[in-house]
Amino acid sequence: MITISEKRASIEKFDSLVSVTETAMVFQLPRKKMSIFGKHLKVILFTSEEVWIEGEIDQVILNER
């Protein structure tokens, strides 16, 4: 499940976290790649099952593999 609001995102069941910066985060999901763009992005929780992100989320893009 993916939950996204203006200030927080929660991503479950992801394959990997490909890239992390303060302005962009890229996740490999089972069948898609998801990019989150914004300002002051940071990972506040990281487990093998779930990631929580905080910051000013401006855009989310899902791409097929």
Side-chain angles (χ1 to χ4, degrees):
M1 179 196 290
I2 300 169
T3 306
I4 299 172
S5 69
E6 188 177 323
K7 298 284 185 184
R8 180 173 281 179
S10 173
I11 298 96
E12 296 177 358
K13 299 182 182 173
F14 60 96
D15 291 339
S16 64
L17 180 53
V18 177
S19 173
V20 177
T21 68
E22 286 189 355
T23 58
M25 295 195 184
V26 179
F27 292 85
Q28 187 62 56
L29 304 176
R31 295 189 179 138
K32 298 178 188 262
K33 183 172 92 172
M34 180 177 69
S35 302
I36 298 175
F37 299 98
K39 298 174 196 83
H40 313 292
L41 300 177
K42 60 183 173 183
V43 175
I44 60 169
L45 173 75
F46 186 93
T47 69
S48 61
E49 297 290 322
E50 182 176 26
V51 173
W52 290 1
I53 297 169
E54 278 190 348
E56 296 176 37
I57 298 171
D58 296 325
Q59 184 178 34
V60 177
I61 298 174
L62 286 171
N63 294 319
E64 296 291 329
R65 271 191 169 183

